[in-house]
Amino acid sequence: MRTENEVLRTLRERRSVRAYLAKEIPPQLEDALMQAGRCAPNAWDRQSFVLCKIGRKAREKLVALTARHLGGVQEDHNFFGAPLVVLFLDRRENFERRADAGCALENMMIAAHSMGLGSVWVDQFATLEDAPDLAALLGELGFAPEMVICGAVAFGWPDPAEEIPPRPLRAQIVALE
Ligand SMILES: Cc1cc2nc3c(=O)[nH]c(=O)nc-3n(C[C@H](O)[C@H](O)[C@H](O)COP(=O)(O)O)c2cc1C
């Protein structure tokens, strides 16, 4: 019985990265990341979600909108300057959308770590789902009106100068008879 393998090590070792090198991600790695998100489990296997890579222009608009709502730009709202930012969007009618987002984006964060890339989930859109200006911007960016952002993750090469403090695990594990 094997209780240790590369996947388990990757799961244990992954940490959120909040400082990135100014270095692009090669297209093959980027594609592997997107495919890792795409093959995630999702409720009823509807696969109605979209994984959207946001380029500079769309990112600037989204960051400006966030700043208007949340009172200025914090470093995480700007995705820590990471070279790749992926949004998970799904239909508002899918009440499992945030669970589905968690599965797909976690798949991608684990895949990223396995390839030497860093990642961090940035949740600035979580409170903006009903914001009319975000809906209008998503429409302007080409999304159907029923699509909402359920999660966003930044990816890039970790800056080795960032010190990530150890993280004690506090969540409980319980067993009932
Ligand atoms: C749903 C969710 C939302 C998060 N939002 C943010 C965020 O807005 N900004 C940020 O810097 N980190 C964010 N994080 C990262 C958490 O802070 C991080 O996962 C947690 O502190 C545990 O640390 P680790 O990822 O390094 O193990 C988020 C993580 C999740 C899963």
Side-chain angles (χ1 to χ4, degrees):
M1 200 185 308
R2 287 176 63 209
T3 57
E4 182 59 6
N5 61 45
E6 209 178 323
V7 175
L8 294 173
R9 255 192 312 282
T10 306
L11 289 168
R12 274 200 312 271
E13 285 174 1
R14 180 219 54 84
R15 298 297 311 281
S16 292
V17 170
R18 297 184 174 88
Y20 293 94
L21 301 178
K23 185 175 146 193
E24 290 302 313
I25 300 173
Q28 299 92 320
L29 294 196
E30 198 176 288
D31 192 47
L33 269 186
M34 303 311 285
Q35 297 303 335
R38 221 178 168 203
C39 69
N42 69 109
W44 303 286
D45 199 25
R46 282 192 176 136
Q47 301 189 42
S48 53
F49 62 90
V50 175
L51 293 171
C52 173
K53 300 185 262 183
I54 48 171
R56 193 178 48 79
K57 275 196 208 156
R59 189 192 297 206
E60 275 170 13
K61 287 180 183 172
L62 284 162
V63 170
L65 186 142
T66 309
R68 281 202 300 279
H69 279 275
L70 305 180
V73 179
Q74 293 174 25
E75 232 192 327
D76 55 348
H77 300 162
N78 204 14
F79 305 101
F80 302 97
L84 174 66
V85 175
V86 175
L87 304 180
F88 179 108
L89 298 102
D90 206 343
R91 293 186 189 159
R92 188 186 279 272
E93 69 180 25
N94 175 12
F95 68 85
E96 299 280 26
R97 59 190 180 278
R98 287 195 56 94
D100 288 350
C103 290
L105 295 173
E106 170 72 348
N107 260 19
M108 295 178 74
M109 293 191 285
I110 295 302
H113 186 72
S114 76
M115 298 187 290
L117 291 163
S119 68
V120 61
W121 185 306
V122 180
D123 220 13
Q124 69 214 52
F125 304 112
T127 55
L128 304 182
E129 207 177 77
D130 296 321
D133 55 347
L134 180 56
L137 176 54
L138 291 176
E140 197 186 299
L141 296 173
F143 290 103
E146 67 269 21
M147 298 301 274
V148 289
I149 300 176
C150 314
V153 174
F155 298 95
W157 298 106
D159 181 344
E162 184 194 13
E163 273 186 35
I164 302 177
R167 176 193 176 212
L169 299 179
R170 290 186 304 271
Q172 293 182 55
I173 296 174
V174 298
L176 300 176
E177 280 201 9

